[in-house]
Amino acid sequence: MKHLPLFGNHEYTLGILGGGQLGKMLCQAASNWDIKTAVMDKARDFPAAHLCHRFVVGDFSRYEDVYAFGKSVDLLTIEIENINIEALERLESEGVAVHPSPKTLRIVRDKVKQKEFYQEHGLPVTTFRTFENAAEVKRAVDDGSLSLPFVQKSRSEGYDGRGVLIVRTDEDIKNLIDEPCLAEKLVDIAVEIAVIAARNHHGEIRTFPPVAMHFHPEANLVEYLYAPAGLGPAIEQEAIQLAQATIEAFDMTGLLAVEMFLTEDGNILLNEVAPRPHNSGHHTIESCSVSQFSQHILAISGMPLIRPELLSPAVMTNLLGAEDYSGPVQYEGIDQCLQKGNVHIHLYGKKETRPFRKMGHVTVLDRHLPRAIEKAKFVQEHLIVRT
Amino acid sequence: MKHLPLFGNHEYTLGILGGGQLGKMLCQAASNWDIKTAVMDKARDFPAAHLCHRFVVGDFSRYEDVYAFGKSVDLLTIEIENINIEALERLESEGVAVHPSPKTLRIVRDKVKQKEFYQEHGLPVTTFRTFENAAEVKRAVDDGSLSLPFVQKSRSEGYDGRGVLIVRTDEDIKNLIDEPCLAEKLVDIAVEIAVIAARNHHGEIRTFPPVAMHFHPEANLVEYLYAPAGLGPAIEQEAIQLAQATIEAFDMTGLLAVEMFLTEDGNILLNEVAPRPHNSGHHTIESCSVSQFSQHILAISGMPLIRPELLSPAVMTNLLGAEDYSGPVQYEGIDQCLQKGNVHIHLYGKKETRPFRKMGHVTVLDRHLPRAIEKAKFVQEHLIVRT
């Protein structure tokens, strides 16, 4: 593959499957370079729909829709993993450049395959066992071969905290997810970290500086994340090398967001990956020398990558739908938050809010990280997503 | 005017007259805040056309087109001065929020009125005389009342270097612009600088850090500009105060780009203003805590302004059409330039290039300004806009 001369060249189209916030931010990045974009998703009022050259209404889980859309573009990428994979495979076999590759997607979207893949490649993961359903898990607990506490994860479709259950007590056993799943040891996590790596087909790899994540206790969503991650140079270097080794193992072209645990005893373990732009990289839009979205486009079009450099400490917080509201969205407190200064608000343009739905994010920059965290907390309290 | 709750609220529409690069970058800024946008310009392939919610084909110099468009939006702004002003006046009288106001536009787009306005308000400008045509100018030179060298400027329609002539020799006299014009003393300019100020209707003013400009000798366009401007704190403070006084004098709501001369004898003189986002503020997208485009939207919608802070030294260079090429555009050297790192390329999406046409811009960030200037020069040499 030569590099695709997408820049300012409307002979070529970048196709994006999924028109949510990631598709939107990919379109925003593409627009700086005058890249022609086509997006497919369910309805014309989706976040990316008004920011592309061509929006196609379609269902990315349907073979026919994905295939037809893919045939109409020159380079195809995704914003979400659960795309119809058979269609992607056929498109790839017919010469459409598909990044991430269907091969990577098949591994990533099955959490068991993903973990087996890491083991095969000598990448550090927690030990785990696989089960077909809740009854099997329960039996293993009963016969003493699986001991509490553990984490149960559905093999597939885990997203935004769905499909993950921490099992500590007998009470939790009653709520087991009744699906093909894995159970992994609950490790003592000091901090969850993420490193986003990018790789192009020449094998050039660039990594973004590590971020540390702080999770919302109920929703199991990132509440805020921050960079620099404050882990010290040795751990940060180790995390970066693990991200590099992981993207190499996948032989990937594009972005790979690598989520890891730093355990209390100082080990880094791979948690999960996402082969696309990711929530843990949203802060890069304002804080880095290149955003994850621009870097993804560079990587998949075969362009040289940019060395990501953190220009300012940054904290990113998700704007989640308030717990008691479902319906047409409105926002409160935007002016108060902006007045704090260096508060970058992104509203995705979703028309309806639901409890904990990701409606937007806010990146706060500040020379002094603790002050940025303070501001991010102010935003969490004062920027209300309600009906 | 209460502030217009545009953010994430599709009950309100921001209308933009002009869909060129400034309209495009306004749409990009609006998209972060999920602001519903409508744009009017001549053709559907204009830069902003695919980045707004509604694009209207129309001619912004036609009364009917501007009026009809203005009636369909809640808040109206412009990317260019030569809009049909009678239509704007009627819209304003009928309650549409129009920023900048037609009153400001009437002053700004006539260079004589603009200079008289500065004199009335005690703002420092070069001395000047007005003339009706080239013959009148020539007569004044002949009778000794106007001495060489001087600068001749058309009263109106000066844009991108058109309508300005530096008259040093008898030879130049032959090329005088034959239009209503002014002639002003040619001052010894040490450096041209610009300060962008923003003001909302509460009277809150924020200014961006001054930039210094380096002009292309032939095209009379900014070749590159840089911030920090390196003028020293006293001069920078004086420039900022002059920008504040100027936006106050206009009683403006919105952005005012204030171009100034720092003369060799250390005085600051007002040159011209633009009541809108401006070429001298493009670097703010990547280098500042708020971009000029976001700040403009905040100002015209009555929101609190953000304190602009320069996060990194920056150099901005325009991508101009190469001298010998006219026709469908293509770009060369993008990969080489990106590889330099921290090189932010903006291609506006104009389909045809012409000599010196503004086709895009590039902002280079670097901790060390001279290194950023070196990189910007590399970009000028290697990023070629041709057919």
Side-chain angles (χ1 to χ4, degrees), chain A residues 193-242:
Chain A
I193 58 184
V195 174
I196 293 179
R199 184 170 178 270
N200 63 19
H201 70 276
H202 308 293
E204 184 188 10
I205 295 178
R206 297 286 186 187
T207 53
F208 285 84
V211 299
M213 290 180 271
H214 181 89
F215 276 80
H216 188 288
E218 279 171 75
N220 195 29
L221 279 170
V222 177
E223 188 171 30
Y224 63 86
L225 65 75
Y226 48 98
L231 307 167
I235 297 286
E236 297 211 357
Q237 198 47 42
E238 200 186 321
I240 287 168
Q241 282 167 357
L242 181 52

Coordinates of all heavy atoms in Angstrom, one line a residue, chain A residues 193-242:
Chain A
I193 N -4.4 2.6 33.9 CA -3.7 3.5 33.0 C -4.0 3.2 31.6 O -4.5 2.0 31.3 CB -2.2 3.6 33.3 CG1 -1.5 2.2 33.1 CG2 -1.9 4.2 34.6 CD1 0.0 2.2 33.5
A194 N -3.8 4.1 30.7 CA -4.0 3.8 29.2 C -2.9 4.4 28.4 O -2.4 5.5 28.8 CB -5.3 4.2 28.8
V195 N -2.5 3.7 27.4 CA -1.5 4.3 26.4 C -2.1 4.0 25.1 O -2.5 2.9 24.7 CB -0.1 3.6 26.5 CG1 0.8 4.1 25.4 CG2 0.5 3.9 27.9
I196 N -2.2 5.1 24.3 CA -2.7 4.9 22.9 C -1.5 4.9 22.0 O -0.6 5.7 22.0 CB -3.7 6.1 22.5 CG1 -4.9 6.0 23.4 CG2 -4.0 6.1 21.0 CD1 -5.9 7.1 23.1
A197 N -1.5 3.8 21.2 CA -0.4 3.6 20.2 C -1.0 3.8 18.8 O -2.1 3.5 18.6 CB 0.3 2.3 20.4
A198 N -0.1 4.2 17.9 CA -0.5 4.3 16.5 C 0.5 3.6 15.7 O 1.7 3.7 16.1 CB -0.7 5.7 16.1
R199 N 0.1 2.9 14.7 CA 1.1 2.2 13.8 C 0.6 2.4 12.4 O -0.6 2.2 12.1 CB 1.2 0.8 14.3 CG 2.2 -0.1 13.5 CD 2.4 -1.4 14.2 NE 3.3 -2.3 13.5 CZ 3.0 -3.1 12.6 NH1 1.8 -3.2 12.1 NH2 3.9 -3.9 12.0
N200 N 1.5 2.6 11.5 CA 1.1 2.6 10.1 C 1.7 1.3 9.4 O 2.4 0.6 10.1 CB 1.6 3.9 9.4 CG 3.1 4.1 9.3 OD1 3.9 3.1 9.5 ND2 3.5 5.3 9.1
H201 N 1.4 1.1 8.2 CA 1.7 -0.2 7.5 C 3.2 -0.3 7.3 O 3.7 -1.3 6.9 CB 0.9 -0.4 6.2 CG 1.3 0.5 5.1 ND1 0.8 1.8 5.0 CD2 2.2 0.4 4.1 CE1 1.4 2.4 4.0 NE2 2.2 1.6 3.4
H202 N 4.0 0.9 7.4 CA 5.4 0.8 7.3 C 6.0 0.2 8.6 O 7.2 0.0 8.7 CB 6.0 2.1 7.1 CG 5.5 2.9 5.9 ND1 5.6 2.4 4.6 CD2 4.7 4.0 5.8 CE1 5.0 3.3 3.8 NE2 4.4 4.2 4.5
G203 N 5.2 0.1 9.6 CA 5.6 -0.4 10.9 C 6.1 0.7 11.9 O 6.5 0.4 13.0
E204 N 5.9 1.9 11.4 CA 6.2 3.0 12.3 C 5.2 3.1 13.5 O 4.0 3.0 13.2 CB 6.2 4.3 11.5 CG 6.6 5.6 12.3 CD 6.4 6.9 11.6 OE1 5.7 6.9 10.5 OE2 6.9 7.9 12.1
I205 N 5.7 3.2 14.7 CA 4.9 3.3 15.9 C 5.1 4.5 16.6 O 6.3 5.0 16.8 CB 5.1 2.1 16.8 CG1 4.7 0.7 16.1 CG2 4.3 2.2 18.1 CD1 5.0 -0.5 17.0
R206 N 4.0 5.2 17.1 CA 4.1 6.3 18.0 C 3.1 6.1 19.1 O 2.0 5.7 18.9 CB 3.8 7.6 17.2 CG 4.7 8.0 16.1 CD 6.0 8.5 16.6 NE 6.8 9.0 15.5 CZ 8.1 9.4 15.7 NH1 8.6 9.4 16.9 NH2 8.8 9.9 14.7
T207 N 3.6 6.5 20.3 CA 2.7 6.3 21.4 C 2.4 7.7 22.1 O 3.2 8.6 22.1 CB 3.3 5.4 22.5 OG1 4.6 5.9 22.8 CG2 3.4 4.0 22.0
F208 N 1.2 7.8 22.6 CA 0.8 9.0 23.3 C 1.3 8.8 24.8 O 1.4 7.7 25.2 CB -0.7 9.2 23.3 CG -1.2 9.8 22.0 CD1 -1.5 8.9 20.9 CD2 -1.4 11.1 21.8 CE1 -1.9 9.4 19.7 CE2 -1.8 11.6 20.6 CZ -2.1 10.8 19.5
P209 N 1.5 9.9 25.4 CA 1.9 9.8 26.9 C 0.9 9.1 27.7 O -0.3 9.3 27.4 CB 2.1 11.3 27.3 CG 2.3 12.1 26.1 CD 1.5 11.3 25.0
P210 N 1.2 8.2 28.6 CA 0.3 7.5 29.4 C -0.7 8.4 30.1 O -0.3 9.6 30.5 CB 1.1 6.7 30.4 CG 2.5 6.6 29.8 CD 2.6 7.9 29.0
V211 N -1.9 8.0 30.3 CA -2.9 8.7 31.2 C -3.3 7.8 32.3 O -3.2 6.5 32.2 CB -4.1 9.1 30.4 CG1 -3.8 10.0 29.2 CG2 -4.9 7.9 29.8
A212 N -3.6 8.4 33.4 CA -4.2 7.6 34.5 C -5.7 7.9 34.6 O -6.1 9.0 34.3 CB -3.5 8.1 35.8
M213 N -6.4 6.9 34.9 CA -7.9 7.0 34.9 C -8.5 6.9 36.3 O -8.0 6.1 37.1 CB -8.5 5.8 34.1 CG -8.2 6.0 32.6 SD -8.9 4.6 31.7 CE -7.5 3.5 31.7
H214 N -9.5 7.6 36.5 CA -10.3 7.6 37.7 C -11.7 7.2 37.4 O -12.3 7.8 36.6 CB -10.2 9.0 38.4 CG -10.9 9.0 39.7 ND1 -10.3 8.7 40.9 CD2 -12.2 9.3 40.0 CE1 -11.2 8.8 41.9 NE2 -12.4 9.2 41.4
F215 N -12.2 6.1 37.9 CA -13.5 5.5 37.5 C -14.6 6.0 38.3 O -14.5 6.2 39.6 CB -13.4 4.0 37.5 CG -12.8 3.5 36.2 CD1 -11.4 3.4 36.1 CD2 -13.6 3.0 35.2 CE1 -10.9 3.0 34.9 CE2 -13.1 2.6 34.0 CZ -11.7 2.5 33.9
H216 N -15.8 6.2 37.7 CA -17.0 6.4 38.4 C -17.4 5.1 39.1 O -17.5 4.1 38.4 CB -18.1 6.8 37.4 CG -19.4 7.3 38.0 ND1 -20.2 6.4 38.6 CD2 -19.9 8.5 38.1 CE1 -21.3 7.0 39.0 NE2 -21.1 8.3 38.7
P217 N -17.6 5.1 40.4 CA -17.8 3.9 41.1 C -19.1 3.1 40.7 O -19.1 1.9 40.6 CB -18.0 4.3 42.6 CG -18.2 5.8 42.5 CD -17.6 6.3 41.3
E218 N -20.2 3.8 40.3 CA -21.4 3.1 39.9 C -21.4 2.7 38.5 O -21.8 1.6 38.1 CB -22.6 4.0 40.2 CG -23.1 4.0 41.6 CD -24.1 5.1 41.8 OE1 -25.3 4.9 41.3 OE2 -23.8 6.2 42.4
A219 N -21.1 3.7 37.6 CA -21.3 3.5 36.2 C -20.2 2.7 35.5 O -20.3 2.3 34.4 CB -21.5 4.8 35.5
N220 N -19.1 2.4 36.2 CA -18.0 1.8 35.7 C -17.5 2.4 34.4 O -17.1 1.8 33.4 CB -18.2 0.3 35.4 CG -16.9 -0.5 35.2 OD1 -15.9 -0.1 35.7 ND2 -17.0 -1.6 34.4
L221 N -17.6 3.8 34.4 CA -17.1 4.6 33.3 C -16.0 5.4 33.8 O -15.9 5.8 35.0 CB -18.2 5.5 32.8 CG -19.2 4.9 31.8 CD1 -20.4 5.9 31.7 CD2 -18.6 4.6 30.5
V222 N -15.1 5.8 32.9 CA -14.0 6.7 33.3 C -14.7 8.0 33.8 O -15.4 8.6 33.0 CB -13.1 7.1 32.1 CG1 -12.0 8.1 32.5 CG2 -12.4 5.8 31.6
E223 N -14.4 8.4 35.0 CA -14.9 9.7 35.5 C -14.1 10.8 35.1 O -14.5 11.8 34.5 CB -15.1 9.6 37.0 CG -15.9 10.8 37.5 CD -16.2 10.7 39.0 OE1 -15.5 10.0 39.7 OE2 -17.2 11.2 39.4
Y224 N -12.8 10.7 35.3 CA -11.8 11.6 34.7 C -10.5 10.9 34.5 O -10.2 9.9 35.2 CB -11.7 12.9 35.5 CG -11.1 12.8 36.9 CD1 -9.7 12.8 37.1 CD2 -12.0 12.8 38.0 CE1 -9.2 12.8 38.4 CE2 -11.5 12.7 39.3 CZ -10.1 12.7 39.5 OH -9.6 12.6 40.7
L225 N -9.8 11.4 33.6 CA -8.4 10.9 33.4 C -7.5 12.1 33.3 O -7.9 13.2 33.0 CB -8.3 10.0 32.2 CG -8.6 10.6 30.8 CD1 -7.4 11.4 30.4 CD2 -8.8 9.5 29.9
Y226 N -6.2 11.8 33.6 CA -5.3 12.9 33.6 C -3.9 12.5 33.0 O -3.5 11.4 33.1 CB -5.1 13.5 35.0 CG -4.9 12.5 36.1 CD1 -3.6 12.2 36.5 CD2 -6.0 11.8 36.6 CE1 -3.4 11.3 37.5 CE2 -5.7 10.8 37.6 CZ -4.5 10.6 38.0 OH -4.2 9.6 39.0
A227 N -3.3 13.5 32.5 CA -1.9 13.4 31.9 C -1.2 14.7 32.3 O -1.8 15.7 32.1 CB -1.9 13.2 30.4
P228 N 0.1 14.6 32.7 CA 0.8 13.4 32.9 C 0.2 12.5 34.0 O -0.4 13.0 34.9 CB 2.2 13.9 33.3 CG 2.0 15.3 33.8 CD 0.8 15.8 33.0
A229 N 0.5 11.2 33.8 CA -0.1 10.2 34.7 C 0.5 10.1 36.1 O 0.0 9.5 37.0 CB -0.1 8.8 34.0
G230 N 1.7 10.7 36.2 CA 2.4 10.8 37.5 C 2.8 9.4 38.0 O 2.8 9.2 39.2
L231 N 3.3 8.6 37.2 CA 3.7 7.2 37.6 C 5.2 7.1 37.8 O 5.6 6.1 38.2 CB 3.2 6.2 36.5 CG 1.7 6.3 36.1 CD1 1.5 5.5 34.8 CD2 0.9 5.8 37.2
G232 N 5.9 8.1 37.4 CA 7.3 8.0 37.4 C 7.8 7.5 36.1 O 7.1 6.7 35.4
P233 N 9.1 7.8 35.7 CA 9.6 7.5 34.4 C 9.7 6.0 34.1 O 9.4 5.5 33.0 CB 10.9 8.2 34.3 CG 11.2 8.6 35.7 CD 10.0 8.7 36.4
A234 N 10.0 5.2 35.1 CA 10.2 3.8 34.9 C 8.9 3.1 34.5 O 8.8 2.3 33.5 CB 10.9 3.1 36.1
I235 N 7.9 3.3 35.3 CA 6.6 2.7 35.1 C 6.0 3.2 33.7 O 5.5 2.5 32.9 CB 5.6 3.0 36.2 CG1 6.1 2.4 37.5 CG2 4.2 2.5 35.9 CD1 5.9 0.9 37.6
E236 N 6.2 4.5 33.5 CA 5.6 5.1 32.2 C 6.3 4.4 31.0 O 5.6 4.1 30.0 CB 5.8 6.6 32.2 CG 4.9 7.3 33.3 CD 4.4 8.6 33.0 OE1 4.7 9.2 31.9 OE2 3.7 9.2 33.9
Q237 N 7.6 4.2 31.1 CA 8.3 3.6 30.1 C 7.9 2.2 29.8 O 7.7 1.7 28.7 CB 9.8 3.7 30.4 CG 10.7 3.5 29.1 CD 10.3 4.3 27.9 OE1 9.9 5.5 28.1 NE2 10.3 3.7 26.7
E238 N 7.6 1.5 30.9 CA 7.2 0.1 30.9 C 5.8 0.1 30.2 O 5.5 -0.8 29.3 CB 7.1 -0.5 32.3 CG 7.1 -2.0 32.3 CD 6.9 -2.5 33.7 OE1 7.5 -1.9 34.7 OE2 6.2 -3.5 33.9
A239 N 4.9 1.0 30.6 CA 3.6 1.0 30.0 C 3.7 1.3 28.5 O 2.9 0.7 27.7 CB 2.7 2.1 30.7
I240 N 4.5 2.2 28.1 CA 4.7 2.6 26.7 C 5.2 1.3 25.9 O 4.7 1.0 24.8 CB 5.6 3.8 26.5 CG1 4.9 5.0 27.0 CG2 6.1 3.9 25.1 CD1 5.8 6.3 27.1
Q241 N 6.2 0.7 26.5 CA 6.7 -0.5 25.8 C 5.7 -1.6 25.7 O 5.6 -2.3 24.7 CB 7.9 -1.0 26.5 CG 9.2 -0.2 26.2 CD 10.3 -0.4 27.1 OE1 10.2 -1.2 28.1 NE2 11.4 0.3 26.9
L242 N 4.8 -1.8 26.7 CA 3.8 -2.8 26.6 C 2.8 -2.4 25.5 O 2.3 -3.3 24.7 CB 3.1 -2.9 28.0 CG 1.9 -3.9 28.0 CD1 2.4 -5.3 27.5 CD2 1.4 -4.0 29.5

